[in-house]
Amino acid sequence: MTGEYVARPPVAEDAPAIAATHVRVWREAYAGVMPQDYLDGMDVEKSVAKWRLIIADESAAATRKRSDPVVKVTRIAEHIATGDVIGFATFAPARDEDPPTPGELWAINILAAHHGSGVADQLMAATVGDRPAYLWVVEQNLRAQAFYRRHGFGVDGGTSVHEVTPTREIRMVRRSGSGAQ
């Protein structure tokens, strides 16, 4: 972990910064992989509204007693020196009908300028920890796949297509322990 960043729960005031980071990360990561018109059409203002709902829902859920084995956990990565939101991660109950584990890593998104800094490791620890989990990753995103393998995830043969674009995704699963090296 690096001392340049802090992983913390988001608050309502973070929604615009998270939304801008979300759109920017996708445009950086998926240029040439996803249709450019889809990436160009990503709207920060619409994303702000979604992030406000996500933050409010998670805050409300945190105050209720839950018996679920997995609770939704979102953390943002903030650069300590600048206060900029440079990434985020969400771990939550599985969304698939027949999941390989109860918990799913919905996303880890980091701005390209911060790749290799250790901040993604920090977000992984703050959200998933050492629990079993699975995720969907764009088949062409070899950098992300290498990161997940380093954290004990392996390709299990599951495939999907991104819900909005024709981009292929593969499933990676970690059945127990972090396996982080």
Side-chain angles (χ1 to χ4, degrees):
M1 286 190 220
T2 176
E4 291 183 59
Y5 307 94
V6 62
R8 64 172 178 80
V11 295
E13 294 77 21
D14 293 321
I18 300 169
T21 297
H22 193 173
V23 169
R24 188 169 154 203
V25 165
W26 273 58
R27 288 178 177 162
E28 290 174 348
Y30 300 122
V33 175
M34 289 187 168
Q36 192 59 46
D37 61 333
Y38 173 74
L39 297 172
D40 291 343
M42 293 180 78
D43 185 291
V44 172
E45 288 309 311
K46 286 181 184 175
S47 188
V48 169
K50 289 178 187 175
W51 276 104
R52 283 194 173 120
L53 289 173
I54 290 167
I55 293 166
D57 180 57
E58 193 168 324
S59 294
T63 62
R64 295 189 300 260
K65 285 191 173 197
R66 297 186 52 117
S67 59
D68 299 342
V70 176
V71 233
K72 188 173 183 185
V73 177
T74 299
R75 294 293 179 265
I76 62 171
E78 183 177 76
H79 192 272
I80 293 172
T82 64
D84 294 338
V85 173
I86 57 86
F88 61 90
T90 299
F91 174 73
R95 295 176 284 188
D96 296 303
E97 285 186 30
D98 189 22
T101 66
E104 177 183 357
L105 178 58
W106 288 9
I108 287 187
N109 286 194
I110 305 292
L111 291 172
H114 301 273
H115 287 177
S117 67
V119 69
D121 297 313
Q122 192 173 357
L123 284 172
M124 178 71 82
T127 55
V128 181
D130 64 356
R131 293 178 283 213
Y134 78 100
L135 57 94
W136 292 98
V137 60
V138 171
E139 187 173 46
Q140 290 177 274
N141 194 341
L142 302 180
R143 179 183 183 85
Q145 290 174 43
F147 170 80
Y148 296 129
R149 277 193 302 278
R150 193 165 51 81
H151 284 274
F153 289 82
V155 175
D156 81 339
T159 61
S160 182
V161 175
H162 180 254
E163 59 199 34
V164 181
T165 70
T167 308
R168 287 183 41 86
E169 299 174 315
I170 59 173
R171 187 170 59 197
M172 297 183 79
V173 178
R174 181 177 74 193
R175 304 239 182 242
S176 64
S178 70
Q181 300 172 7

